[in-house]
Amino acid sequence: MRLPQWAGALAVKAALFITVMCCALAALLGALVHVSVTNQTVGEARDLALARLVDATEAYEAGDPLPPGAGVDPEELPGALRELAADGQRGTMVAGHQGRPTMWAAGPAEGGHALAVAVDYAQQARTIDGLDRAIVGSSALAIGATLLVGAFAVTRVTRRLHATARVARRISAGDLDARVHDRRAEDPGRPQDEVAAVAAALDSMAASLQGKLLAEQRFTADVAHELRTPLTGLHAAAELLPPGRPTELVRDRVAALRTLTEDLLEISRLDTGRERLELDSEELGALARRVVGASGTDTEVRLVRDARVETDRRRLERVLGNLVANAHRHGRAPVVLTVDGPVVTVRDHGDGYPEYLVAHGPQRFRTEGGARGHGLGLTIALGQAEVLGARLEFGNAPDGGAVATLRLPRTPPGRAAEGPGDAG
């Protein structure tokens, strides 16, 4: 049997704890009631048996006939009582007599004999047995009811914890609009508990993080837009400079700054999440060769298994072009682009990706090891891949070199949301 998602270790442990505590409490109370009632019942039967033994002793000493149930050395008298009477003492014991529970009372008689009285103990035995059954039944009922109530209370808490964990996972995956909205946390009039405090803290953290990211995105977009106008004038002015080495350096730096600005604008558009696909059917092999040809680099294209995919050609070319350019800029030859069905890999033979990039993905404006660049190329590639509904993974080959793997979806995101009647 598979437990529900909310029934984690906490719910199981709580149920076991409640069950054990209920069983222990029921056993303790049942034992106390059993001992108390048994002692009272046995005491009453013993007093009755000793009283009849006194009457039988008086009749025996007076030479009168013994009352019913009394006798000297009866055959079924327990041996322990017989020895006790032979020593001149009186005692009682519950034992069998003619197949029925009997309270025996015995005392000394002349000649070392034992005078004994048998009192029927069947009714008292049935009373104790009935009490034991009632204790067991009521204990089982109480344990079941307590377990149900406890399980209901615990599962309410675990469901809330599970909902909080699910929202935390959504936030970590990039969904900054996700919120727990715990009812206790949102209603100050209700008593607050630890789960409500955690949910409120998570919602507050998500709102703060979202605000900071939105501010960063707005800043990036504003800076890129503000730079476009002066860069356009700077580019025009650079074209008017006389030929020479200083002019080439100025034009090169202006071109780099212009590329950086365009990259920032593209990242700001990707950050908004409002990019739309222009789908078309493309042969991956031919598209890969076009990308390598347009890059002007010495990149080997290996076609293991060609595939026709429905995707946005411009965005896919942008992803592959950035991966190829990054491999040549930061890696070493040979650089190989491999097409194996809907999976495209770009590998170089350099030092590989930094550890932070493999673990957490590319981060804008972060490079390590003295590498040149702003970390925007791979960031754009990852953002465009997400728009395509593809999965872009970064890793290092065992024998050295960086490996970027692009897994294209079988169905583009724009078509996956369409119903049967939407196509036309």
Side-chain angles (χ1 to χ4, degrees):
M1 295 180 63
R2 185 173 181 178
L3 294 174
Q5 291 182 344
W6 46 262
L10 179 61
V12 174
K13 290 179 180 178
L16 290 176
F17 176 77
I18 292 173
T19 302
V20 171
M21 292 303 297
C22 288
C23 291
L25 183 60
L28 178 61
L29 293 178
L32 291 176
V33 173
H34 172 82
V35 171
S36 177
V37 174
T38 301
N39 288 340
Q40 182 180 357
T41 304
V42 171
E44 292 175 354
R46 181 182 294 112
D47 293 341
L48 177 59
L50 289 175
R52 292 188 179 181
L53 179 62
V54 171
D55 295 340
T57 302
E58 293 177 352
Y60 177 76
E61 293 176 350
D64 296 333
L66 297 176
V72 178
D73 294 332
E75 295 182 0
E76 297 187 5
L77 180 65
L81 278 183
R82 192 183 301 276
E83 295 177 359
L84 188 66
D87 292 338
Q89 300 181 22
R90 290 183 177 183
T92 59
M93 178 181 291
V94 177
H97 176 56
Q98 297 178 354
R100 296 172 62 85
T102 302
M103 173 64 74
W104 288 94
E110 294 181 357
H113 297 287
L115 177 62
V117 175
V119 178
D120 185 48
Y121 190 73
Q123 181 63 38
Q124 291 85 341
R126 286 193 296 270
T127 300
I128 295 175
D129 290 341
L131 176 66
D132 291 342
R133 288 193 296 270
I135 290 175
V136 173
S138 60
S139 298
L141 182 61
I143 291 172
T146 305
L147 185 59
L148 288 177
V149 174
F152 175 74
V154 171
T155 51
R156 288 190 63 185
V157 174
T158 54
R159 282 195 183 98
R160 293 168 61 198
L161 287 174
H162 180 72
T164 303
R166 185 170 60 249
V167 171
R169 286 192 291 269
R170 288 173 56 190
I171 293 173
S172 66
D175 183 8
L176 298 182
D177 292 324
R179 297 292 186 274
V180 180
H181 294 304
D182 188 87
R183 288 180 293 179
R184 286 182 178 268
E186 294 179 346
D187 186 2
R190 301 184 65 179
Q192 302 297 306
D193 57 9
E194 290 78 2
V195 181
V198 172
L202 181 63
D203 287 348
S204 176
M205 180 199 70
S208 176
L209 180 62
Q210 186 178 37
K212 291 179 180 179
L213 289 179
L214 289 176
E216 179 185 341
Q217 293 170 5
R218 285 194 298 268
F219 175 77
T220 302
D222 292 343
V223 168
H225 280 290
E226 292 297 328
L227 285 176
R228 294 188 77 178
T229 301
L231 274 176
T232 301
L234 188 60
H235 178 73
E239 294 296 327
L240 298 177
L241 294 175
R245 180 60 180 167
T247 300
E248 292 179 1
L249 292 176
V250 170
R251 290 176 179 175
D252 178 70
R253 291 300 87 197
V254 170
L257 188 57
R258 194 172 187 178
T259 301
L260 174 60
T261 303
E262 294 300 326
D263 287 346
L264 288 175
L265 284 172
E266 185 172 358
I267 288 177
S268 66
R269 289 194 299 269
L270 291 172
D271 286 339
T272 61
R274 292 193 294 268
E275 295 287 274
R276 295 292 179 266
L277 295 175
E278 297 179 3
L279 298 176
D280 197 4
S281 181
E282 297 287 339
E283 292 283 349
L284 276 183
L287 187 145
R289 293 189 181 94
R290 288 200 306 269
V291 169
V292 171
S295 69
T297 60
D298 185 16
T299 302
E300 178 186 354
V301 177
R302 294 179 182 175
L303 186 60
V304 178
R305 179 167 53 95
D306 202 357
R308 177 172 289 275
V309 296
E310 193 172 5
T311 187
D312 189 319
R313 177 183 58 80
R314 180 183 64 83
R315 297 183 188 278
L316 182 55
E317 289 179 348
R318 177 68 160 154
V319 173
L320 296 181
N322 282 14
L323 294 179
V324 170
N326 184 82
H328 283 280
R329 183 178 299 114
H330 301 292
R332 287 193 294 270
V335 176
V336 181
L337 188 153
T338 304
V339 177
D340 187 0
V343 180
V344 182
T345 59
V346 177
R347 179 188 175 181
D348 62 57
H349 290 75
D351 297 329
Y353 290 120
E355 292 183 2
Y356 82 89
L357 193 149
V358 175
H360 306 290
Q363 300 177 21
R364 61 192 72 174
F365 299 110
R366 178 176 179 180
T367 56
E368 290 186 357
R372 299 179 58 191
H374 305 283
L376 299 182
L378 294 183
T379 302
I380 292 174
L382 183 61
Q384 294 288 11
E386 291 177 353
V387 175
L388 293 173
R391 188 166 75 250
L392 181 57
E393 301 170 345
F394 301 94
N396 293 319
D399 54 346
V403 181
T405 304
L406 179 68
R407 304 180 188 276
L408 293 168
R410 296 184 179 274
T411 305
R415 296 292 173 83
E418 294 180 353
D422 295 334

